[in-house]
Amino acid sequence: DGVPEWFKERFAATIQYMNEKGTSWIFKKLQDSDSIYYIDYNEEKIKEKGGTYNHVSRTIYWSPDLYARTTNGTILFPATILAHEGAHALQHEKYGDDKYKELYNAKDAEYERENEREVITTTEQYVAKRHEDIKEDEITRTNHGAINIYIYDTSY
């Protein structure tokens, strides 16, 4: 509720793309959960952090206009960023509140936090290959660093 209609349409189109690429299982698992997870467009949060998952409100903040260039030079497209944030929600679902907070608060020298290491080195790699952001023998990044790139669609 409360998100713009254009956002809902672009989210649905992204999920359709993920269905075609075999990566929508992330959101199917969240949908089948007993917990409620939200997908929201909050321009302030997205501009500050890029895509993000808030474990307190169980909300994924995402923009269909957000791309990211990693420190490795890889461009992550919006569907891959959505999958990355969805993977954090799956971590939360898998581990529960206490263990997720522990992972979130555990510092990691390369990846900033342990929960980021887990998502980046597993789900993000798999999804980026399926989405053709990277080739089979490449990796997206070796840390949590990225520069956000916004491509604004003026058609809405």
Side-chain angles (χ1 to χ4, degrees):
D1 291 338
V3 297
E5 194 60 37
W6 64 262
F7 176 82
K8 292 177 187 178
E9 291 169 6
R10 305 259 316 266
F11 174 74
T14 302
I15 292 297
Q16 178 60 40
Y17 170 80
M18 293 173 77
N19 282 336
E20 293 166 9
K21 296 294 186 177
T23 58
S24 62
W25 54 269
I26 295 164
F27 293 96
K28 175 72 171 125
K29 284 185 176 187
L30 292 175
Q31 185 178 4
D32 291 346
S33 166
D34 290 337
S35 299
I36 297 173
Y37 293 89
Y38 302 93
I39 311 292
D40 197 1
Y41 176 81
N42 180 309
E43 196 165 344
E44 295 299 317
K45 287 184 186 291
I46 293 165
K47 280 186 178 180
E48 178 186 332
K49 294 184 173 183
T52 190
Y53 172 67
N54 181 312
H55 64 274
V56 176
S57 64
R58 294 182 187 259
T59 303
I60 295 167
Y61 294 100
W62 171 77
S63 170
D65 300 322
L66 175 66
Y67 295 69
R69 186 178 69 214
T70 71
T71 54
N72 291 35
T74 300
I75 302 294
L76 299 178
F77 289 83
T80 303
I81 295 169
L82 179 60
H84 173 107
E85 300 308 336
H88 284 304
L90 278 181
Q91 279 179 323
H92 192 181
E93 183 67 23
K94 175 182 175 183
Y95 295 126
D97 288 335
D98 292 339
K99 178 68 175 174
Y100 183 82
K101 287 178 196 172
E102 184 181 310
L103 279 172
Y104 180 85
N105 290 320
K107 301 297 180 203
D108 183 282
E110 288 87 29
Y111 292 90
E112 187 179 336
R113 296 186 304 271
E114 284 294 323
N115 70 323
E116 292 295 350
R117 176 183 287 276
E118 183 177 302
V119 165
I120 290 168
T121 61
T122 58
T123 306
E124 181 178 288
Q125 301 306 309
Y126 173 80
V127 168
K129 289 172 185 173
R130 297 297 299 248
H131 292 176
E132 300 176 20
D133 295 357
I134 59 174
K135 295 177 183 161
E136 197 60 41
D137 61 340
E138 296 177 329
I139 60 170
T140 57
R141 51 187 159 171
T142 55
N143 57 39
H144 188 224
I147 297 170
N148 296 327
I149 303 167
Y150 294 92
I151 308 297
Y152 291 100
D153 181 352
T154 60
S155 66
Y156 51 81

